[in-house]
Structures are given as C-alpha cells and as structure tokens.
Amino acid sequence: MAQEPEAQQAPATAPTAPARALLPFILPAVVVGVVASLVFVGVSAAAEQLQRVLWGPLPDALGVGRYSVLWMFVMLVATGIAVGLVVWKVPGHAGPDPATLGLNAPAMAPVVLPGLVLATGLMLAGGPSLGPENPVFAVNVGLAAWLGARLMPRTPGSLWPVLAESATIGALFGTPVAAALVISEALAGRPIRGRLWDNLFAPLTAGACGAVTTTLVAHPTFDLGLPPLGHPDGKDVLAALVTASVAALLGMSAVYAFPYVHAAFRRLRHPMLMLPAGGVVLGALGALGGHLTLFKGLSEMGELARHPEGRSAGQFAVLAVVKLAALLVAASCGFRGGRIFPAVFVGSALGLCAHALVPAVHPAVGVATAVLGMLLAVTRQGWVSLFTAAVLVASPGALALLCIASLPPWLLVTGRPQMQLREDGTPVR
C-alpha cells in the first residue's frame, strides 16, 4: 500500500522586525518628510508670487492685456531665455536633460540643485505647461542623500532616496497613502528582507510627515467640485471603459511623438536656442488654446470644472489637444518640470469633452477615467494614476469603477515606449 504524501507545510512567513530595529529610522524619516514638504511648498509659493507679478501688475503697467496674444508670446519667449541662461551659465546646468528623467531621479550633486530650483521656479511662473514634481523629486533626493551621508553616516545610503521620494509624494498629494502605494509597487520588483510593512515603516513615516506639513502650511485640495457620482450603473461602466481607453490612445500619440520632437529641438544644440525656440512654439499654442492651456494646469483645471456646461465638446477637445501639444513641446525643449500636472489637465478637458458630447456620461466619470487613461500613458505609474484620478472627484463609488476602467488602458500602454528617453534619445520601455 503506497504511503500517503506528507502534508505540505504552508510557506513560512518572513519574521517581523523587532521595534528596536525600526525606531532608529523614525527621526530621519520625520526630518526628511518635513524638509521635503517645505522645499515643495517653498518652490511652489515663490513661483506663484512671481507668476502674479508677471501676469498681473506688470502687463497692467505696460498697458498690455494680461492674457493677450502679444503678452503670452513675450512671456513664454522671455521664460525660455531666462531658463536658457540658467542652464547655460549656472553651475551644474540645472541637471541633466529633463526628458531623460522620471519621478525616480538619481541623487544629483549639491552644485546642481540651486540651478535646478531656479530654472523650475522661472518655468512655473512663466507659463510653460509643466509641473513641479520631477524637479522637486530630484532636489529632495539630492538634499537627502547629501545631508544624510554627512549627518548620519552610519545610516544605509540607499535609505535616503526612498525616504525623499516617499516624502515628496506625500507632500504633492497631501496624503501618505499615495507614497505607500508607490513604494510598495517599487519594492515588488526588488528582493526585500523581512515583512513588507517593516520595509514600508520608514517611507510611510516620511510620507506622512510630508503630507501633514503640506496640509498645515498650504492646505492643498484636488477635489474639482464635480457633481457626486453616487452608485455607478452599467452605462457608467461602459463610459469609463471607453473614455479611459480613448484618453490612453491620445496620450500614447504624444508618447510616440516625444522622441521626434525632442530630436528636433536637440538639433539646435544650445540651451539659448532650444529654450527660446520652445517659448515661441508655446506662445503660438497659447494663442490657439488661450490662457487656460498655460502653466502647470491645476488652478486652470478647477476653472474648467466649475463650468462643465459652459463649453462645447469641440472647445474642450481643442483645450485637451493644445495642452497636450504644449506639454510635449515644453518637455522636449529643455524646460525643467514634470509631466503629471499638465497631463491631469488634458484628461480633465477630455473627460468634460466626453460629457459635452454624450450628456449621459457623468462628468465625474468622464474626468476621472480620462485622467486615469492619460496618466497611465504618460507616466506608466499605475498607483499614481489611480490615486490621482480618485482624489479629483471625491466620490466613494468611483474607486471600483476606476479599477475596472484601468484594465483596457493598461493593455494599450504596457510594453510600449514611455514618455522618457535614454541619453541617446531612444525611448524607455
């Protein structure tokens, strides 16, 4: 009689780290979280103050319309010249080509960071369609790695970039949940020791401190104030699947164009040619799309959402296409900035276009799912895309709908080129 096979034992779980192993990381995480938030808030606040002057009292004093075609051209070309001077003359040249960088920036040398901050502030104030996220990530990672190695040399050097990234995500979104999700996604591809939550303890602390600091200092909000969704039904599911897929396809059109537009500007070879030329193109796009297609797009997106019935589907479509083109040009010609915030504006305009074209598409469904599809194409960051789309509409029923709607766009974008280039100009996959 054959022997029965031995009962299979359940795989042993990794041991939980003792508290004494985690306690030493609390203070570094808190400090990094607070400092990262203050860097983000400081850069954003300084840029907003400069923006108010450049686009308010200054054109008024000159007798020029604040958002006239002439002033948009003047400001965008002047911004290209100013940033070009920083890239050309300031030590460190404001970092490497921004087209080669994503959110996970390498730790840059301290000499690079002042120029990068200056170039970012000028860009945010001047009107190009980029956000602060990529440069702020780079600055925070560089600061954390440099100061951490000097002040706490016994702490593992690999910890500082993780803390800085988590803190910056928490500061950007005003919640540590996004940081925990993104770090979990990053850890999934690496061999880790111990429990996942033990590995998340320090990054989550940094993200929480970054989020709390931003909330206390700046009171951020992403809720667009759209009509609440309620309980999704069948037509909402269908609208979500179609809208997210269309947005992903539109985003991928920019992704595929990115290396060609970037190569066209690279032929100019010098930042004092590339950046002013980019300013000229952005001025033309601003004349076509109007002032709502300028800047990073967060407050402009709120203006769109306040009047979802105030424009036709064609007008919303023009705003989405022009803003996407402006994002493509600004990211290609050398302006220092991130691609998430303008991509959110593009998705919002596209979602409102879907609602205007088919009134049965709920505006919250249209906006959230279009933002989701656009961000999946542009960033290839699943958790960031889902979380950003969810916080825009603040409807509890939207989360399950977004999870379903993320599936077709992910099939459309996965394995394809990303909106990020290698140093030789070839796209990252």
Side-chain angles (χ1 to χ4, degrees):
M1 184 175 176
Q3 283 187 324
E4 293 184 5
E6 295 182 3
Q8 291 187 346
Q9 299 268 338
T13 59
T16 304
R20 65 179 180 274
L22 301 179
L23 287 173
F25 297 117
I26 293 179
L27 180 58
V30 170
V31 173
V32 170
V34 173
V35 172
S37 173
L38 293 177
V39 168
F40 165 62
V41 172
V43 171
S44 300
E48 287 172 6
Q49 291 298 323
L50 181 58
Q51 177 185 329
R52 290 192 183 98
V53 173
L54 295 177
W55 295 87
L58 182 57
D60 290 346
L62 296 173
V64 182
R66 294 185 176 190
Y67 294 110
S68 63
V69 171
L70 173 62
W71 191 247
M72 284 192 287
F73 265 103
V74 168
M75 280 307 309
L76 287 162
V77 174
T79 302
I81 293 171
V83 175
L85 284 170
V86 173
V87 175
W88 181 26
K89 291 295 187 180
V90 173
H93 306 290
D97 182 353
T100 64
L101 300 177
L103 290 181
N104 53 340
M108 298 181 188
V111 69
V112 176
L113 306 184
L116 181 56
V117 170
L118 180 58
T120 303
L122 292 170
M123 181 279 301
L124 290 172
S129 295
L130 293 172
E133 58 277 11
N134 285 19
V136 170
F137 263 87
V139 170
N140 284 335
V141 168
L143 278 177
W146 179 59
L147 292 175
R150 280 152 181 78
L151 300 178
M152 301 184 69
R154 295 184 179 180
T155 302
S158 59
L159 176 67
W160 300 111
V162 176
L163 293 182
E165 290 171 6
S166 301
T168 307
I169 294 172
L172 283 168
F173 294 102
T175 172
V177 177
L181 294 175
V182 172
I183 297 301
S184 297
E185 186 176 27
L187 290 176
R190 306 174 189 171
I192 61 174
R193 298 178 60 184
R195 298 284 185 96
L196 175 63
W197 197 253
D198 290 333
N199 285 272
L200 286 177
F201 181 82
L204 185 58
T205 303
C209 291
V212 170
T213 303
T214 300
T215 301
L216 292 175
V217 174
H219 311 291
T221 179
F222 289 89
D223 185 6
L224 296 180
L226 292 168
L229 174 59
H231 296 287
D233 55 22
K235 66 178 175 54
D236 291 325
V237 174
L238 178 60
L241 293 171
V242 173
T243 305
S245 299
V246 170
L249 289 173
L250 179 62
M252 287 304 300
S253 69
V255 171
Y256 276 105
F258 188 42
Y260 299 101
V261 178
H262 179 265
F265 281 106
R266 290 296 114 180
R267 291 191 185 99
L268 298 176
R269 296 183 178 276
H270 198 283
M272 288 303 293
L273 295 176
M274 292 186 296
L275 285 153
V280 171
V281 179
L282 291 174
L285 290 170
L288 179 62
H291 73 278
L292 290 179
T293 59
L294 302 178
F295 309 108
K296 64 184 179 183
L298 190 59
S299 59
E300 291 75 18
M301 181 173 60
E303 187 173 338
L304 278 186
R306 281 194 294 271
H307 307 287
E309 313 294 341
R311 292 177 174 82
S312 66
Q315 290 173 317
F316 281 122
V318 168
L319 288 171
V321 172
V322 170
K323 185 69 172 182
L324 186 60
L327 163 60
L328 179 61
V329 171
S332 300
C333 70
F335 283 110
R336 271 54 179 169
R339 301 179 275 274
I340 291 178
F341 282 97
V344 171
F345 178 96
V346 176
S348 299
L350 191 62
L352 292 172
C353 172
H355 169 67
L357 192 63
V358 182
V361 176
H362 193 287
V365 172
V367 167
T369 54
V371 167
L372 172 65
M374 183 61 59
L375 286 178
L376 286 174
V378 170
T379 71
R380 218 57 54 88
Q381 295 275 349
W383 283 123
V384 168
S385 304
L386 269 171
F387 185 83
T388 304
V391 299
L392 288 176
V393 296
S395 293
L399 189 55
L401 190 66
L402 288 170
C403 290
I404 296 171
S406 69
L407 302 179
W410 186 255
L411 292 176
L412 292 171
V413 305
T414 187
R416 301 185 186 277
Q418 300 183 33
M419 202 170 191
Q420 183 178 344
L421 304 177
R422 299 185 179 90
E423 291 185 5
D424 61 0
T426 58
V428 174
R429 287 182 178 268

